[in-house]
């Protein structure tokens, strides 16, 4: 009987502990949606939820006086919740304010700074530098915090909230860390961003969206289509299909390469708008080099010498070398781009695997065609010596042209579909 009592007592204790969590700053911090759009600015998920007890995420800001703003954050999470203030709708070099629970369930407010896609404490010796009137709690699976800070900021990296900023809202449901650490782990769910820019004096009730990555997707798809479909096929026609398209190969080659250049420029514009300028990372630098080389080709072609000119072979050599180098760098840039895209979207390894297999298939196909072309040249030379008529290869070349088209466009469509279906981080 005594054992039964002990078991029942233990079960009762466990049930109680399941309902009660450690919390700092009692009473519980409850973030209310009352006054949103009237006396304070708010972002609520889902829109219209009344308080932190029912909202999946809620952010509010309220100006206390001419120089002070009060900020409230809450989310259904036991890890961390944060807001970032961005001037370019892109993560990186942004002021971030948030709160995170430690392993014991105690919640700590933190003043942070984003470096690309990671963050550090703004002041490692004082994690709450610039924040006052701090209240935090973690109760019933809801992490919440309330604090005040100067609107102008008190440090060099503090955002001046009198200026317009796009708000980034991030949550990690489980990642805990001590008060002396930056936010541990990335957000496993898509962040949301404000659809408009706001200032400290605004009273708003805005909706958030998943991070706007449409331009990034367009950039990736345009670049994949340019290099894996248009460029390789334009070069394929010029290199291998002259015997069966003697009258049209140059027109097909020229139109294909011009279309490729147009898509390259369009893709460059998309990423420039998305980033808000030029970001000096390896992918971007290689991309600029490739764009310059691709742009040189039609300019050089305008000044190509006549077929009878002694400089014709010099032109052809330069034209081919630039084509080879730009194609090689273009494909390298595609691989680097897929790695970069995974930092912003949930791309994963599948597009990289498909790209690797596709690149390998195209290279193998090309090498086979080079081998066959040289073999046919030797056979033609031998037939000429023997006074025989050269055997035509039109059927094989037509089959090869369609097969290469199917391979290159198949992998292009596959990668493009995967990029288009990727969601924002």
């Amino acid at each position: 009987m005594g054992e039964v009592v002990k078991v029942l007592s233990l079960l009762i204790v466990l049930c109680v502990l399941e309902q009660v969590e450690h919390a700092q700053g009692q009473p519980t911090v409850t973030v209310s949606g009352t006054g949103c759009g009237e006396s304070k600015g708010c972002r609520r998920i889902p829109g219209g939820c009344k308080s932190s007890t029912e909202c999946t995420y809620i952010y509010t800001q309220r100006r206390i006086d001419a120089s002070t703003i009060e900020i409230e954050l809450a989310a259904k999470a036991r890890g961390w919740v944060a807001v970032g203030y961005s001037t370019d709708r892109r993560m990186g070099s942004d002021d971030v304010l948030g709160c995170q629970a430690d392993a014991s369930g105690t919640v700590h407010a933190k003043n942070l700074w984003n470096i690309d896609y990671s963050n550090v404490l703004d002041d490692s010796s004082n994690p709450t530098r610039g924040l006052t009137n701090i209240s935090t709690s973690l109760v019933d699976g809801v992490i919440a915090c309330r604090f005040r800070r100067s609107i102008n900021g008190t440090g060099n990296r503090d955002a001046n909230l009198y200026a317009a900023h796009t708000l980034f809202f991030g949550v990690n449901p489980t990642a805990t860390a001590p008060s002396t650490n930056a936010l541990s782990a990335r957000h496993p769910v898509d962040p949301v961003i404000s659809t408009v820019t706001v200032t400290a004096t605004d009273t708003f009730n805005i909706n958030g969206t998943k991070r706007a990555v449409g331009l990034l997707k367009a950039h990736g798809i345009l670049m994949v289509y340019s290099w894996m479909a248009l460029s390789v096929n334009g070069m394929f026609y010029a290199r291998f299909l002259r015997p069966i398209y003697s009258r049209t190969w140059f027109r097909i080659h020229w139109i294909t390469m011009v279309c490729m250049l147009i898509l390259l420029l369009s893709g460059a514009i998309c990423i420039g708008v998305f980033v808000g300028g030029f970001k000096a990372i390896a992918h971007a630098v290689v991309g600029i080099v490739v764009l310059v080389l691709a742009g040189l080709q039609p300019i050089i072609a305008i000044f190509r010498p006549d077929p009878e000119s002694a400089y014709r072979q010099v032109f052809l050599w330069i034209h081919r070398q630039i084509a080879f180098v730009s194609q090689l760098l273009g494909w390298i840039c595609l691989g680097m781009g897929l790695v970069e895209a995974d930092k912003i979207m949930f791309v994963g390894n599948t597009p990289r695997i498909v790209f690797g297999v596709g690149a390998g298939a195209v290279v193998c196909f090309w090498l086979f065609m080079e081998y066959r072309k040289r073999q046919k040249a030797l056979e033609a030379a031998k037939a000429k010596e023997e006074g025989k008529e050269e055997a035509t290869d039109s059927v094989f070349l037509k089959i090869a042209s369609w097969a290469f088209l199917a391979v290159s466009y198949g992998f292009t469509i596959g990668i493009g579909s995967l990029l288009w279906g990727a969601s924002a981080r």
Side-chain angles (χ1 to χ4, degrees), residues 22 44 59 91 144 164 291 371 406:
H22 291 284
R44 293 175 285 177
Y59 163 87
M91 289 180 66
L291 188 61
Y371 170 78

Side-chain angles (χ1 to χ4, degrees), residues 163-183:
H165 288 83
T166 298
L167 305 184
F168 281 70
F169 309 107
V171 178
N172 188 300
T174 59
T176 60
S179 62
T180 54
N181 288 17
L183 298 180

Side-chain angles (χ1 to χ4, degrees), residues 24-95:
Q24 177 186 3
Q26 294 293 338
T28 301
V29 176
T30 300
V31 182
S32 173
T34 302
C36 288
E38 299 174 356
S39 59
K40 60 184 179 181
C42 301
R43 168 58 184 134
R44 293 175 285 177
I45 302 174
C49 59
K50 296 180 180 179
S51 71
S52 53
T53 57
E54 62 178 82
C55 295
T56 303
Y57 180 102
I58 182 170
Y59 163 87
T60 75
Q61 64 173 54
R62 178 172 64 95
R63 191 168 64 159
I64 301 300
D65 53 43
S67 61
T68 308
I69 187 172
E70 182 177 79
I71 293 169
E72 296 177 310
L73 290 164
K76 291 188 182 301
R78 292 179 171 85
W80 56 258
V81 59
V83 60
Y85 300 90
S86 174
T87 57
D88 57 9
R89 296 179 63 84
R90 178 177 168 84
M91 289 180 66
S93 301
D94 299 319
D95 188 12

Side-chain angles (χ1 to χ4, degrees), residues 260-405:
M260 181 208 74
L261 185 58
I262 292 173
L263 293 191
L264 284 180
L265 291 171
S266 301
I269 292 172
C270 286
I271 198 63
V273 173
F274 178 79
V275 174
F278 176 76
K279 187 176 181 181
I281 59 176
H283 170 66
V285 173
V286 175
I288 292 296
V289 173
V290 168
L291 188 61
V292 171
L293 290 175
L296 281 175
Q297 288 289 65
I299 297 174
I300 293 173
I302 293 174
F303 300 99
R304 67 185 183 278
D306 293 330
E308 297 80 14
S309 172
Y311 297 102
R312 181 73 174 193
Q313 292 303 314
V314 176
F315 159 77
L316 290 175
W317 185 87
I318 294 174
H319 191 62
R320 288 168 182 166
Q321 299 313 304
I322 293 177
F324 173 78
V325 172
S326 61
Q327 185 70 41
L328 177 62
L329 290 178
W331 283 46
I332 291 173
C333 201
L334 284 182
M336 296 167 69
L338 290 173
V339 174
E340 289 297 320
D342 195 43
K343 298 177 181 178
I344 304 174
M345 301 186 294
F346 289 99
V347 175
N349 292 322
T350 303
R352 293 196 286 271
I353 294 172
V354 174
F355 169 71
V357 174
V362 169
V363 170
C364 289
F365 203 120
W366 194 283
L367 291 175
F368 170 74
M369 292 298 294
E370 284 286 354
Y371 170 78
R372 185 174 177 83
K373 180 178 180 179
R374 295 189 181 189
Q375 289 297 111
K376 294 301 292 183
L378 292 175
E379 292 175 8
K382 184 177 180 180
K384 185 176 181 180
E385 288 178 1
E386 296 175 353
K388 298 179 181 179
E389 186 177 351
E390 181 183 349
T392 61
D393 202 26
S394 59
V395 174
F396 169 79
L397 289 177
K398 286 181 179 179
I399 294 174
S401 67
W402 285 105
F404 189 78
L405 196 71

